[in-house]
Amino acid sequence: MDIVIGAITEVVKYLVSPFMNHVSYLVHYKRNVNDLREPMTRLGEMKADVQRSIDAARMRREVIKIVVEGWLTRVNEMQSKEMTLNNTLEQSKGCLQGGCSVHYQVGKDAKEMIDQVKDLLNEGRTFIVVSDPAPLPPSLETMQMLEFQVYDSTKLAMDQIMEALKREDVNMVGVYGLGGVGKTTLMKHMAKILKRDKVFYHVVMVTVSQNPAWTKIQGEIAENLGLPLTQESLSMRARLLLDKLKEEKQMLIVLDDLWNSVNLLEQIGIPYGNNCKVVLTTRRLEVCIQMETQFNVELKVLSEGDAWILFKWAVGDLIQNDNTLLPKAKQIVRECGGLPLAIVTIGRALRAKDQSVWNDAASQLMKKSSSPPDIEGMHEKVFCSIELSYNYLASEDTKFCFLLCCMFPEDFSISENDLLPYVVGEGVFRGIDSLMEARNRLHTHMERLKWSCLLFDDSRRTGSVRMHDIIRDVSIWIASKEGRDFVVKSGRELTQFQDRDEELGKCKRLSLMQNKITHLPNLLDCSQLVTLSLRDNHDLREIPDDFFQGMKSLKTLDLKRTNICSIPSSLSSLMNLRVLLFSNSAASEGNPPLDVSLLGKLKKLQILHIFQSNVEKLPEEIGELSNLKSLNLGDNKNLTIAPNILSRLSLLEELYLKNSFHAWEMEGRSSEDDKAGSSSSKAAACLSEVASLSALSLTTLEIRVSNIKCLSAINIPFHWENLTCFVVVFGRAVDRDEYYCNTNVAFSGVSIPQFSDRERIYLMERAERLDLRQCRGLKYILSVGARGLNNLRVLYVHMCDGIDEYILSCTTTFVVDEATEVPQIAFSRLERLNLQDLPKLKAICNSHGSRGRGGGGGGCFNNLRFLRLWSCSSLITIIPSDLLAKLPNLEELEVFECPGAIEVFNSEGLEQTQTAIMSKLKRLELIILTSLRTIWQGVVSPLSFMNLECIFLYELRLKILFPLAMAQRLQQLKRLSISECKEMVEIISMDEGNENRVQGISSSSTLHYFNPASTYINNPSSSSSLLRPTPIFGNLRFLGVYFCDSLKHILPMSLAEGLLQLEELDIKMCPNLEEIIVNDRDCHDDIEEKKTIFPRLRDLELIELPNISMVSKGILLRRHDYYWPSLETLKVFGCSNLERLPVNLEMAPKLREMKVEEEWFNGLGWPDHDDDHQTDEDNEQFHLHRLRERGVKILGLGNKSGFLLPGAWCYSSLLCLGSCAPAMPPIFVSWKSSAGERAVGNGAFCFLSSLERGAEIVPIGSCMAAGIDE
């Protein structure tokens, strides 16, 4: 029975117990919920503790344990579940239906969660630590970066940075440049080198970015030093890091991508100076200035050649295997403008793509549309990167000036004068009334844009800037966005104007510059248009009369350099117009005079420029423009100005009358009447009107006064002190050049007046530039009467026959009172001196008041930088000894056709001084000096001529150009061009005895030539002689030798080995040249060595050298050939004595192109290869096959009959074209070998106006000298 009862009891328990649990969930649901609250509170507290530990660990850059992160996730889920439970219980209150089921579920969930929370609490108590130690930061050696290649721009920047870091006085270096130009990649590469070569013991590179996290930056630096930074306080961390860095030796820190200045000591803890140096990279030069960097390096975009190399690397082997892609590839590279980021992005996007994709990419890049090209990566990587620089500009005015620049065509040279009318028309600068203030403000914004690397100085046009092609694309994209509403279609060669374009409805700024538009619509409805530019549409001949009716808001209208001959009537309806620019590119082609009388209705005009437009009369209506501030009527050669028009323009600040009206009235009669002796009523404006404006508002003036008496006859004095800029020409018109200053005075074809009136003296004393051309009665410069001319910066003297023996007196006297005369130094600010066609001139100046051979007084010419002497036949010594030491800042010396000159530099009498002479001279040009005996005469100190970079010599009758010791002084020489020196037998003399005789250098100061095999200069046992010898011309990049008939070799081997930087070697028309390098070594030296010659040489040209047989006959004495590691291009023509290529192709691994004479090339012998049974034909085919395998391009240049060389007469004609011509190597003209091939006339030189330095002329046909494919 007991057994039965026990069994029944167990069954009941088994059945009842679960039932009771479920009943308990329902009955005790409130108690279960209350029991859950206490453990959940403890779990929340534990979670907060763990989270704090995690945050602290993350600040130390430690790695959080996976189990901790998992626990934290489960805790968050549990807290979310409890919140849901409480919400469910709250909602069930007052609910009769379904209330029991809800209570049951709440009670059950709460009971289960209590157990789960207990488990989480137990697990959390096991977390003694929540993280693992941080991994070591990536070392410089493991940093991910593009495969680094050294190009010209990067090499230059690397050299500058390295040189700066090695200087003891430099602790901080700034590296700046456009976004995407490669600053980060460059510094990663340099950091590796600096650490590898142990220049610094520690090298740390950290990224700062726009929103710097200073604790993170501190942590990265500290971790590289093994310093744990656990503190949260930024200042405490900075102090600890500072103490650590002070203990380190030779530390370099690279702060990459810095956008704002930072206090390195306080904010980070970097004690730059002593043992710690800093390099910062930034897009903004302003950051470098604010950070007070001691040396700044600009990283520039790649050259076209280097950009092509990078693009080929980025795109892979596709181009090499498919020649049909080459034209599009070249086009794409040009559009990238040398910007590495764009080149790599586009190159990678085009990898393995077909022809259609390439065509589409090139087309998009050419179109310059308002949206980024649809090329993978261009928007996010390139456009957005550059937009960051734009967004970071602090001023909205700066941003708007940047956007205005995109209206100009691609590669346009933008001056501030180009941009100012647009700024004034738009009213960009609020609160500014005068043009002078607007110019100054605009200059400030342009400087900011240059400092941000969004604009670049134009090296070809002083004072102008250019916009990089990609940056312009980005600016057009930004400018076209809603709210700015620019429409830019400049430079697209459009022939028709699409007036139905949907963009025009809301357009505010429309640029159609530099197109080929011939017709405009009758009416253009652009009610919101503020700025319209049609400049440089040379085919546009007329504007329909109603064209401007729909442009009531127009404020700026640019019609410069069109062919419009009349002003449409609707122009007078533009009552809001502030700026009108108008010029006719064909004004001299018989067009009728331009009537501008209706412009008098445009009362709001502030800037009116109507130049070169065939305006013959300035109408009375122009005097009604009471708001006019700038009036330009230049190059209207037949213009007449009636009286009382200019004087009514009371707000006029700028008046330009260049090559225009000049027949000013004298008081009461005209200049013509004055000559005839009769009086009449005034028919033209008088200078008194201009003088009255100078007392009111005039700040800029450009006029010509044909009758010099007019100036002395006016009854209203000129207020020259109010003029900040002026050009005043007395007499005949004078052509302007690039060296004009702010204040300029010229006398041309007139007698120099005696200046007794203080007003005229004041004019001369204010002048920064003075031109004296064909002036009668002028004996020397100070006879003009000004006191010292110490404001003068530029002086031109041309064909003044009265000048006798000397032209300048460096001292004059100033009368203080009747008993006192004080001597004054003249020309103390003179920077540029040009003396031309002065046949009696024997010396530049007489510093002591006597007429002997003289140089300069103390302080005279101290600032002279450029000296040019042309056709001064009586000059014997160009720079005599007493002038030589007085030119400490001379940078360029050009001497042309002075047949009496026997020496250039004479230093006799300076033997006792150790002062360096000509230490800043960079460029020397000596041309057609037929009597010259020596360039350098006398003793010079070792530091003299130390910065000379470019030497150009043409038609000198010297046997030796450089004594050895002088050549060694020219360590900065980069370009050397020698032409028509027919008697020259040696470029550098190795005869020390002859050198001392010619040079006047004592044996104690003689330098020894470069010998790579030698470690010691003198006695190898002497500790004082453990100096490595200095190479000759160690920085020379270009060497050109032309038409030197007596030369048999270029350089001896001992000197050639020092040309470590030579990149181009160009030798032409030297009929007796036998070899380039003559061997002056022992024939057993280095007999087994693979000899490297010219390690950086890229281009070798040998043209018309009939006697040359090989590069060096020394090859025959060795069992090896020379190694040419960098040679890329080889040109050979007219070298009939060469039986083999001058370069062993196996020794030139980078050779990619040969340009050779076909007949000669087909008859070449080839070195044997390993096959013993080869025939000559097999051998030739073997080598040609090897060339094809390597991708070497062989271009045949035809026959000798197609190769013409203009001689000295042709070159002399080039010299008359301007200052750029003397820097050219001889010009080689290629012509088709057909009838009349020898008739070289004006046609051969029609391209001269567009030549740059070093250019070659290629009119038509087979291009032998230039090496271009037919």
Side-chain angles (χ1 to χ4, degrees):
M1 180 62 75
D2 291 338
I3 296 174
V4 173
I5 293 173
I8 293 172
T9 302
E10 289 299 320
V11 170
V12 171
K13 285 182 180 178
Y14 179 78
L15 293 175
V16 173
S17 181
F19 176 76
M20 292 306 296
N21 287 339
H22 289 289
V23 172
S24 176
Y25 296 152
L26 176 61
V27 175
H28 301 297
Y29 74 92
K30 288 185 178 180
R31 185 174 66 184
N32 290 348
V33 171
N34 290 333
D35 290 345
L36 178 62
R37 287 196 180 102
E38 190 270 334
M40 281 300 299
T41 301
R42 284 189 284 120
L43 184 64
E45 293 170 349
M46 181 176 288
K47 173 193 169 184
D49 290 341
V50 171
Q51 187 64 56
R52 277 195 295 271
S53 300
I54 290 174
D55 292 341
R58 283 177 175 160
M59 287 186 65
R60 298 190 298 272
R61 299 179 61 81
E62 293 178 351
V63 180
I64 307 304
K65 290 178 178 290
I66 296 176
V67 66
V68 175
E69 290 181 335
W71 178 85
L72 200 60
T73 300
R74 293 196 301 277
V75 171
N76 290 333
E77 291 173 352
M78 186 62 66
Q79 289 178 324
S80 176
K81 194 172 180 180
E82 184 201 20
M83 186 178 298
T84 302
L85 191 74
N86 290 328
N87 291 337
T88 302
L89 185 62
E90 189 68 26
Q91 293 171 3
S92 69
K93 290 181 179 179
C95 180
L96 297 177
Q97 290 185 345
C100 291
S101 62
V102 172
H103 293 164
Y104 166 78
Q105 190 62 45
V106 168
K108 180 182 178 184
D109 290 345
K111 188 65 175 178
E112 291 175 352
M113 287 173 62
I114 291 172
D115 296 333
Q116 295 171 1
V117 169
K118 289 179 180 178
D119 291 340
L120 288 172
L121 288 169
N122 292 331
E123 185 179 1
R125 294 186 186 98
T126 65
F127 297 155
I128 300 173
V129 292
V130 298
S131 60
D132 293 322
L136 291 175
S139 65
L140 289 167
E141 291 76 9
T142 60
M143 279 186 175
Q144 293 297 313
M145 56 187 290
L146 288 173
E147 180 180 339
F148 190 81
Q149 301 184 56
V150 177
Y151 302 107
D152 287 344
S153 59
T154 52
K155 174 66 168 60
L156 176 62
M158 288 173 64
D159 291 344
Q160 292 175 331
I161 296 168
M162 191 72 75
E163 180 183 350
L165 289 175
K166 290 179 179 178
R167 285 171 48 182
E168 292 185 1
D169 60 329
V170 174
N171 299 316
M172 190 184 302
V173 178
V175 180
Y176 69 98
L178 169 66
V181 81
K183 302 180 294 294
T184 300
T185 306
L186 171 71
M187 285 315 304
K188 284 181 178 179
H189 179 72
M190 282 208 67
K192 288 184 179 182
I193 293 175
L194 291 166
K195 189 169 185 179
R196 180 198 67 196
D197 295 346
K198 299 182 179 177
V199 177
F200 292 93
Y201 188 76
H202 283 294
V203 180
V204 180
M205 185 169 180
V206 293
T207 301
V208 180
S209 74
Q210 278 185 293
N211 301 303
W214 298 120
T215 54
K216 176 177 176 290
I217 292 168
Q218 289 172 327
E220 288 185 12
I221 297 173
E223 287 163 11
N224 276 273
L225 302 175
L227 172 67
L229 284 181
T230 58
Q231 294 77 8
E232 296 184 13
S233 167
L234 196 66
S235 57
M236 178 63 71
R237 293 163 65 89
R239 284 197 295 271
L240 292 173
L241 185 58
L242 175 65
D243 293 339
K244 179 64 176 177
L245 288 172
K246 285 181 177 179
E247 298 173 0
E248 298 295 328
K249 55 182 180 180
Q250 295 300 311
M251 180 83 185
L252 175 66
I253 298 176
V254 180
L255 299 177
D256 186 39
D257 197 22
L258 198 62
W259 287 77
N260 284 305
S261 62
V262 57
N263 189 319
L264 296 181
L265 198 61
E266 294 181 5
Q267 288 182 256
I268 306 178
I270 299 177
Y272 66 94
N274 300 324
N275 63 324
C276 184
K277 296 194 175 189
V278 174
V279 175
L280 59 91
T281 75
T282 179
R283 300 184 185 192
R284 307 171 63 221
L285 176 60
E286 187 177 9
V287 172
C288 299
I289 295 171
Q290 292 172 349
M291 293 289 291
E292 299 181 355
T293 52
Q294 292 119 331
F295 195 91
N296 294 322
V297 177
E298 181 182 6
L299 183 57
K300 298 184 179 181
V301 295
L302 302 178
S303 66
E304 190 170 339
D306 290 340
W308 175 244
I309 294 171
L310 179 61
F311 183 76
K312 287 196 298 183
W313 171 84
V315 83
D317 298 331
L318 191 61
I319 296 178
Q320 301 293 346
N321 301 332
D322 188 353
N323 287 334
T324 61
L325 296 175
L326 277 175
K328 292 299 179 186
K330 292 282 189 182
Q331 195 177 69
I332 289 169
V333 171
R334 280 195 299 271
E335 290 302 318
C336 289
L339 186 65
L341 179 61
I343 293 168
V344 172
T345 300
I346 296 175
R348 287 180 169 174
L350 293 176
R351 276 186 181 231
K353 300 299 191 297
D354 60 25
Q355 179 84 48
S356 297
V357 177
W358 282 70
N359 292 342
D360 180 56
S363 175
Q364 289 190 66
L365 290 170
M366 289 290 290
K367 278 186 177 178
K368 310 294 180 188
S369 67
S370 58
S371 59
D374 187 16
I375 300 173
E376 184 181 349
M378 278 297 285
H379 179 265
E380 60 273 18
K381 291 183 179 178
V382 180
F383 272 54
C384 291
S385 172
I386 295 172
E387 189 183 20
L388 275 177
S389 296
Y390 168 83
N391 291 335
Y392 214 79
L393 296 171
S395 165
E396 290 300 318
D397 289 350
T398 306
K399 291 180 178 180
F400 194 77
C401 290
F402 170 72
L403 297 181
L404 284 176
C405 290
C406 80
M407 296 184 69
F408 294 88
E410 182 178 303
D411 202 35
F412 193 90
S413 180
I414 307 170
S415 70
E416 291 178 9
N417 285 335
D418 290 322
L419 206 56
L420 182 69
Y422 291 83
V423 169
V424 172
E426 292 270 0
V428 177
F429 306 140
R430 296 170 182 81
I432 288 182
D433 296 322
S434 74
L435 289 182
M436 180 183 293
E437 289 178 317
R439 285 183 185 279
N440 293 336
R441 183 68 57 84
L442 176 61
H443 180 75
T444 298
H445 290 300
M446 297 295 275
E447 288 298 304
R448 288 176 182 170
L449 290 170
K450 288 192 288 185
W451 289 350
S452 299
C453 295
L454 292 173
L455 296 177
F456 300 92
D457 281 316
D458 184 357
S459 59
R460 293 173 286 180
R461 186 183 176 197
T462 305
S464 298
V465 296
R466 289 182 186 271
M467 182 177 270
H468 187 279
D469 291 354
I470 297 292
I471 292 181
R472 181 173 178 269
D473 293 344
V474 175
S475 66
I476 292 174
W477 170 55
I478 296 171
S480 64
K481 293 181 180 179
E482 189 172 354
R484 301 185 181 96
D485 301 317
F486 282 67
V487 175
V488 180
K489 297 185 177 182
S490 55
R492 294 196 187 180
E493 298 192 351
L494 300 177
T495 57
Q496 293 184 347
F497 180 68
Q498 301 294 331
D499 57 320
R500 296 178 182 177
D501 197 322
E502 295 179 1
E503 296 176 307
L504 297 181
K506 59 180 181 180
C507 174
K508 294 179 181 178
R509 295 154 193 102
L510 174 60
S511 175
L512 296 167
M513 293 187 202
Q514 210 174 82
N515 282 299
K516 297 181 179 180
I517 296 173
T518 56
H519 296 89
L520 295 173
N522 290 330
L523 176 66
L524 186 63
D525 187 9
C526 292
S527 59
Q528 299 184 54
L529 193 63
V530 176
T531 297
L532 171 63
S533 178
L534 286 162
R535 73 187 287 172
D536 290 312
N537 279 277
H538 302 291
D539 297 326
L540 184 61
R541 297 185 177 274
E542 64 176 351
I543 297 179
D545 272 349
D546 296 331
F547 179 73
F548 295 110
Q549 289 290 354
M551 305 181 192
K552 302 301 183 182
S553 300
L554 196 65
K555 296 181 180 179
T556 304
L557 177 59
D558 188 348
L559 299 173
K560 288 172 65 175
R561 292 191 289 274
T562 61
N563 200 8
I564 300 169
C565 301
S566 62
I567 295 177
S569 58
S570 61
L571 186 63
S572 62
S573 67
L574 301 177
M575 306 310 295
N576 289 306
L577 198 66
R578 298 177 182 175
V579 175
L580 174 59
L581 310 177
F582 188 101
S583 68
N584 191 325
S585 57
S588 61
E589 297 179 4
N591 291 326
L594 182 70
D595 182 7
V596 296
S597 56
L598 63 79
L599 300 182
K601 298 180 180 181
L602 307 177
K603 305 300 184 182
K604 292 186 178 181
L605 269 183
Q606 297 181 28
I607 297 178
L608 175 59
H609 291 182
I610 309 178
F611 54 95
Q612 194 179 333
S613 300
N614 205 20
V615 178
E616 293 189 354
K617 181 181 179 181
L618 190 67
E620 293 279 349
E621 289 86 348
I622 298 299
E624 302 297 325
L625 301 177
S626 56
N627 288 304
L628 199 62
K629 298 179 181 179
S630 178
L631 176 61
N632 187 344
L633 298 168
D635 291 308
N636 291 296
K637 297 183 179 180
N638 299 317
L639 178 68
T640 60
I641 300 178
N644 303 319
I645 296 179
L646 297 179
S647 58
R648 290 154 61 194
L649 304 175
S650 58
L651 296 182
L652 197 66
E653 298 178 37
E654 301 176 350
L655 176 61
Y656 303 96
L657 294 171
K658 170 194 170 188
N659 294 333
S660 186
F661 175 74
H662 57 85
W664 299 95
E665 286 260 0
M666 296 181 67
E667 292 297 311
R669 57 182 180 176
S670 69
S671 55
E672 285 76 12
D673 291 336
D674 179 59
K675 294 177 184 177
S678 63
S679 62
S680 65
S681 61
K682 291 190 292 182
C686 176
L687 276 179
S688 295
E689 296 187 53
V690 180
S692 66
L693 293 174
S694 72
L696 296 174
S697 57
L698 201 65
T699 61
T700 302
L701 175 64
E702 183 170 356
I703 60 171
R704 174 185 159 210
V705 181
S706 54
N707 185 358
I708 200 169
K709 294 180 181 179
C710 290
L711 188 63
S712 58
I714 62 175
N715 56 18
I716 300 177
F718 261 98
H719 290 265
W720 300 108
E721 68 277 8
N722 293 341
L723 297 179
T724 57
C725 300
F726 60 77
V727 179
V728 182
V729 178
F730 297 102
R732 293 196 291 262
V734 175
D735 292 332
R736 295 189 61 164
D737 58 29
E738 59 185 305
Y739 304 117
Y740 261 60
C741 304
N742 288 329
T743 55
N744 308 268
V745 178
F747 295 89
S748 178
V750 296
S751 297
I752 300 297
Q754 293 298 317
F755 285 97
S756 56
D757 189 288
R758 170 156 182 81
E759 180 181 318
R760 261 66 74 193
I761 292 177
Y762 190 73
L763 168 65
M764 297 299 296
E765 289 179 346
R766 285 213 58 205
E768 293 180 316
R769 170 170 172 149
L770 176 61
D771 281 71
L772 301 169
R773 304 182 184 227
Q774 295 179 300
C775 293
R776 300 181 292 274
L778 182 66
K779 292 186 176 180
Y780 61 96
I781 298 305
L782 283 179
S783 64
V784 298
R787 300 178 303 176
L789 296 175
N790 277 329
N791 204 44
L792 210 61
R793 293 172 48 212
V794 179
L795 175 59
Y796 273 53
V797 186
H798 181 209
M799 295 181 69
C800 296
D801 295 338
I803 290 178
D804 187 15
E805 293 195 12
Y806 71 97
I807 190 169
L808 306 173
S809 177
C810 282
T811 58
T812 185
T813 57
F814 172 52
V815 179
V816 178
D817 52 44
E818 293 183 358
T820 308
E821 290 187 354
V822 179
Q824 289 192 336
I825 296 171
F827 310 110
S828 59
R829 293 184 61 199
L830 192 66
E831 297 178 9
R832 186 178 295 272
L833 176 60
N834 188 326
L835 307 177
Q836 186 171 347
D837 290 306
L838 305 175
K840 300 178 184 178
L841 185 70
K842 294 183 179 178
I844 295 174
C845 65
N846 180 2
S847 59
H848 306 295
S850 63
R851 297 204 175 194
R853 190 167 91 178
C860 182
F861 300 141
N862 265 356
N863 288 301
L864 192 67
R865 295 168 53 211
F866 307 98
L867 176 58
R868 189 183 190 201
L869 304 169
W870 276 43
S871 301
C872 299
S873 54
S874 296
L875 270 179
I876 297 174
T877 300
I878 304 300
I879 309 290
S881 57
D882 52 354
L883 180 60
L884 194 60
K886 309 300 182 183
L887 300 172
N889 292 301
L890 191 68
E891 296 178 12
E892 294 188 14
L893 173 61
E894 179 184 329
V895 186
F896 171 72
E897 206 168 19
C898 295
I902 62 172
E903 57 190 11
V904 180
F905 304 106
N906 187 316
S907 59
E908 291 179 347
L910 301 178
E911 292 85 353
Q912 303 304 317
T913 180
Q914 293 298 313
T915 303
I917 58 176
M918 295 289 167
S919 59
K920 292 188 178 181
L921 188 69
K922 294 181 179 179
R923 186 177 187 87
L924 175 64
E925 299 182 7
L926 305 176
I927 304 163
I928 314 179
L929 306 180
T930 53
S931 300
L932 197 67
R933 298 176 188 171
T934 181
I935 299 175
W936 340 85
Q937 177 65 39
V939 175
V940 292
S941 67
L943 297 179
S944 299
F945 300 97
M946 62 183 295
N947 287 305
L948 195 55
E949 294 180 357
C950 179
I951 297 178
F952 181 88
L953 307 173
Y954 180 83
E955 200 171 325
L956 309 182
R957 295 180 181 174
L958 297 175
K959 293 185 180 297
I960 297 171
L961 295 184
F962 302 100
L964 179 61
M966 177 54 69
Q968 285 192 300
R969 282 160 171 75
L970 307 181
Q971 286 305 305
Q972 297 303 316
L973 190 65
K974 295 178 181 177
R975 295 186 66 87
L976 174 59
S977 180
I978 306 165
S979 183
E980 292 280 359
C981 296
K982 297 185 180 298
E983 298 179 16
M984 181 181 66
V985 295
E986 282 187 303
I987 296 177
I988 300 175
S989 171
M990 298 294 290
D991 184 349
E992 301 245 350
N994 180 58
E995 172 190 328
N996 290 334
R997 176 179 59 80
V998 176
Q999 185 67 25
I1001 298 175
S1002 64
S1003 59
S1004 62
S1005 65
T1006 299
L1007 301 173
H1008 292 258
Y1009 62 82
F1010 180 73
N1011 181 355
S1014 171
T1015 307
Y1016 304 96
I1017 290 182
N1018 297 310
N1019 180 6
S1021 63
S1022 169
S1023 60
S1024 63
S1025 59
L1026 290 173
L1027 300 173
R1028 188 138 181 102
T1030 304
I1032 300 293
F1033 299 159
N1035 280 300
L1036 193 68
R1037 263 69 168 178
F1038 172 86
L1039 174 60
V1041 183
Y1042 318 99
F1043 298 94
C1044 295
D1045 295 357
S1046 302
L1047 200 62
K1048 293 187 176 182
H1049 66 267
I1050 302 299
L1051 289 172
M1053 174 60 72
S1054 54
L1055 299 186
E1057 288 172 339
L1059 302 183
L1060 303 177
Q1061 303 296 327
L1062 189 67
E1063 297 174 355
E1064 298 178 64
L1065 179 57
D1066 190 6
I1067 307 172
K1068 295 185 174 81
M1069 295 300 294
C1070 297
N1072 290 305
L1073 193 75
E1074 298 176 358
E1075 53 186 336
I1076 298 175
I1077 302 165
V1078 63
N1079 185 47
D1080 60 346
R1081 296 278 193 222
D1082 189 322
C1083 65
H1084 299 293
D1085 287 352
D1086 306 324
I1087 199 164
E1088 297 296 336
E1089 179 189 353
K1090 181 171 75 171
K1091 197 72 174 177
T1092 299
I1093 187 170
F1094 306 145
R1096 291 186 180 273
L1097 189 71
R1098 295 200 312 257
D1099 298 296
L1100 175 61
E1101 293 192 34
L1102 306 176
I1103 307 293
E1104 289 293 341
L1105 309 174
N1107 275 325
I1108 192 170
S1109 58
M1110 55 183 58
V1111 171
S1112 175
K1113 295 178 182 178
I1115 293 175
L1116 299 175
L1117 304 176
R1118 302 170 181 266
R1119 293 201 296 269
H1120 62 80
D1121 210 334
Y1122 291 115
Y1123 183 54
W1124 308 79
S1126 302
L1127 189 67
E1128 297 177 2
T1129 304
L1130 173 65
K1131 298 180 186 178
V1132 182
F1133 186 91
C1135 301
S1136 55
N1137 207 29
L1138 271 176
E1139 296 180 355
R1140 292 188 176 183
L1141 284 173
V1143 173
N1144 186 334
L1145 300 180
E1146 298 299 322
M1147 296 291 192
K1150 291 188 178 181
L1151 187 70
R1152 56 182 174 82
E1153 191 170 79
M1154 293 196 300
K1155 299 175 183 179
V1156 295
E1157 187 181 356
E1158 291 180 15
E1159 183 179 348
W1160 169 81
F1161 185 77
N1162 291 335
L1164 281 179
W1166 297 88
D1168 295 338
H1169 68 277
D1170 296 337
D1171 188 352
D1172 294 334
H1173 301 290
Q1174 65 182 350
T1175 65
D1176 290 341
E1177 184 176 353
D1178 292 338
N1179 194 40
E1180 178 182 350
Q1181 291 302 317
F1182 169 80
H1183 286 284
L1184 292 176
H1185 178 70
R1186 288 292 302 275
L1187 288 174
R1188 283 192 293 270
E1189 280 185 335
R1190 287 173 49 186
V1192 178
K1193 189 177 181 181
I1194 304 174
L1195 304 178
L1197 298 178
N1199 299 323
K1200 186 174 180 180
S1201 61
F1203 186 62
L1204 296 182
L1205 296 171
W1209 178 86
C1210 297
Y1211 189 76
S1212 298
S1213 68
L1214 291 179
L1215 299 181
C1216 301
L1217 295 175
S1219 60
C1220 67
M1224 298 178 188
I1227 303 300
F1228 293 87
V1229 179
S1230 162
W1231 215 264
K1232 278 191 179 295
S1233 54
S1234 58
E1237 62 185 324
R1238 292 288 177 181
V1240 180
N1242 292 334
F1245 298 97
C1246 62
F1247 303 95
L1248 295 181
S1249 61
S1250 63
L1251 282 176
E1252 295 180 358
R1253 295 175 185 269
E1256 294 177 335
I1257 301 178
V1258 186
I1260 58 173
S1262 178
C1263 304
M1264 266 70 62
I1268 300 175
D1269 298 328
E1270 275 191 69

